Amino acid sequence: MKLDAKVPEGRLEDKWRNYQVQSQLINPANKKKLNVIVVGSGLAGAGAASTLAELGYDVKCFCYQDSARRAHSVAAQGGINAAKNYQHDGDSVWRMFHDTLKGGDFRSREANTYRLAELSAPLIDHYVQQGVPFAREYGGTLVNRSFGGVQVQRTFYARGQTGQQLLMAAYAQLYKMVRAKKVEMFPRSEMLDLVVINGNAKGIVVRDLITGELKRYAADAVVLATGGYSRVFRLSTLAIGCNGSALWKAHKKGAFFAAPSFTQIHPTALPQSSEAQSKLTLMSESLRNDGRIWVPKQQGDTRKANDIPEHERDYYLERRYPSFGNLAPRDIASRAAKERIDAGYGVGRLKNAVYLDFRHAIEKFGIQTIKDRYGNLFAMYKKITGIDAYQEPMQISPAAHFSMGGLWVDYELMTTIPGLYAVGECNFSDHGANRLGANSLLQASVDGYFILPNTINNYLANALREDHPTTEHPAFEEAENEVRSSINRVLAVNGTKTVDHFHRELGKIMWQECAMSRNKEGLQKAIEQIKTVRDAFWNDVKVTGSSNELNTELEKALRLADFIELGILMCTDALQRDESCGAHFREEFQTADGEAVRVDEDYSYVSAWEYNAGDFKLHKEALAFEYIQPSVRSYK
């Protein structure tokens, strides 16, 4: 199958406008005849559902949480990027495009990346009009701060709760449409399969998480906005419920999975404290804007942080990357922290952390300024650790975070299954091999509010001439039977070990062999180890309760079955890419001083995998760079 990205003709800055001019239109009366399913209610899902409803489509929106307000977009607190150049520091759409392309180590599509930067400015105006309380200067102008990987200030923020404020605005728009009866909301519903009829996505099968009942829903198009899959590592910054099951079900029905091994390790999470821990807590990257990261110069130093004099501290990011310092991109900052920890310079009870110190910022700006910028983050840190970070440094550590990989989509955000769209973190389109901080809220928002509502018309215009699907179609019966069979299979095992036991085993393998650094031998070993975990899971997992009730153990088991298969694909993808790029760091491909070595002549493509009955088949979308030539990604 040849992958057609559908990139429009014309100059880079004209492509999106050219696309909109040439796209098909549907008159308002006909839009009322068309049905769209949106799975997910975060920024991408709520934005898409509310905007499509405003346009006149009949929309059904599903989420597994008890309220759309609990979507995981709430966790991205540091800020949202936009090329407004309010600071007059040389920013522009072009510079933001360049920073994002370079930050992703030249493994993303130029046209999609430029569109992300282009739509960033109107998005801020959009949110201001919705009432988002962005931070402002004394005179009323919106204020910006810096994030990793850039040398300008383009990040808009609302203290340390930006994601929460944006989600509240999106939630308000969504429920405005719910009250207007233009969106029907289905909380506590989990998609367990995609229904494909004559090669087109035409509906989903969901499980009511309260009653356990399986239900069918038909539509003319399906939009997935279900977030990322980094819970495959088990310990991650993601909420416990975050999962990749919707993506995996779509993948098994024919949607190609792109660059699954491109998963980001965030440099500023709280360190793991015990084996029993179920998740890690993210401390916003915005803290690196004023905090300085260091470790003691003496290995195994047991002194308290404040007892270590200045000349015995190693501000290693400032030492290694003087141009960017503490604002080096996430992948570089995470690997640098791991290197120091592995070399014996780690701090904390388990020696698995580094310090993030605000002493100098407080001395320079005053404690009230720091409280105004990050107060809720400091409060959260104290609540969890008992430590007052105004008085002594925070302890931070790298943790699994964002997934740049996801379902392959073209310029229209449509997958390889016609009628199936993927928006936000669950697609692969804008970030390449590494995401710059504060671009996640941006991508989710522009995908849902601005891009999808302009591209879905091209598909739905043709759907008007076709018969509308109903849930009585045999494909729905077949999909529901497949789901019921999977549920019955996992319940029938009735083994001796919990779901969490097997997830812990999978997570250890993935973190050791397919996280911050990888190598050929380790990846080959990991694939065999995961297959062993898979066999043990299906022979010895114990899932209590039944399918006809609220059963969180069953939910976890079904999701873990998907994670196990996804883990194999992630390692397979990492194994075939003999280069280091962004978050994909192959130990065989590095410079003498430990920097990544790309191999553009062989790997300048997006890897798109076909499920192929579990024997994954690789397809390649060649990446052409017409406007910015790939260069050595240096932040020194």
Side-chain angles (χ1 to χ4, degrees), residues 25 44 88 123 262 332 334 386 486 496 557 572 606 634:
L25 299 178
H88 301 288
L123 180 68
F262 287 174
I332 289 174
S334 294
S486 297
T496 63
T572 302
V606 178
S634 174

Side-chain angles (χ1 to χ4, degrees), residues 506-521:
L506 173 66
K508 287 177 181 176
I509 297 167
M510 294 300 296
W511 184 252
Q512 180 65 32
E513 307 296 353
C514 198
M516 267 181 287
S517 62
R518 303 96 184 260
N519 60 63
K520 182 177 181 179
E521 181 182 355

Side-chain angles (χ1 to χ4, degrees), residues 464-493:
L464 280 168
R465 295 186 284 271
E466 301 172 356
D467 292 333
H468 297 292
T470 72
T471 55
E472 301 307 311
H473 193 283
F476 279 90
E477 181 76 22
E478 181 182 349
E480 184 178 329
N481 288 338
E482 288 177 7
V483 170
R484 186 171 285 106
S485 175
S486 297
I487 292 172
N488 291 338
R489 181 188 177 195
V490 76
L491 287 171
V493 176

Side-chain angles (χ1 to χ4, degrees), residues 227-334:
Y229 51 85
S230 284
R231 275 279 294 165
V232 70
F233 295 97
R234 186 178 157 278
L235 282 177
S236 77
T237 65
L238 275 63
I240 298 297
C242 293
N243 63 86
S245 285
L247 303 188
W248 199 250
K249 303 306 184 188
H251 176 53
K252 295 177 81 167
K253 285 295 177 75
F256 288 4
F257 210 118
S261 66
F262 287 174
T263 50
Q264 183 171 75
I265 309 302
H266 199 290
T268 57
L270 299 191
Q272 181 180 359
S273 58
S274 77
E275 276 285 311
Q277 201 166 335
S278 57
K279 79 174 296 293
L280 298 172
T281 301
L282 175 68
M283 299 304 294
S284 169
E285 184 186 344
S286 62
L287 294 169
R288 293 203 285 152
N289 208 49
D290 286 306
R292 299 180 71 191
I293 295 173
W294 63 276
V295 293
K297 289 184 178 179
Q298 176 183 320
Q299 289 179 323
D301 199 322
T302 58
R303 290 174 291 178
K304 292 182 178 180
N306 289 341
D307 294 338
I308 300 176
E310 190 71 18
H311 68 276
E312 294 185 33
R313 301 179 177 193
D314 178 15
Y315 295 92
Y316 58 88
L317 287 177
E318 298 172 32
R319 170 172 56 82
R320 292 182 60 179
Y321 307 100
S323 291
F324 284 75
N326 296 294
L327 289 174
R330 290 177 174 179
D331 59 321
I332 289 174
S334 294

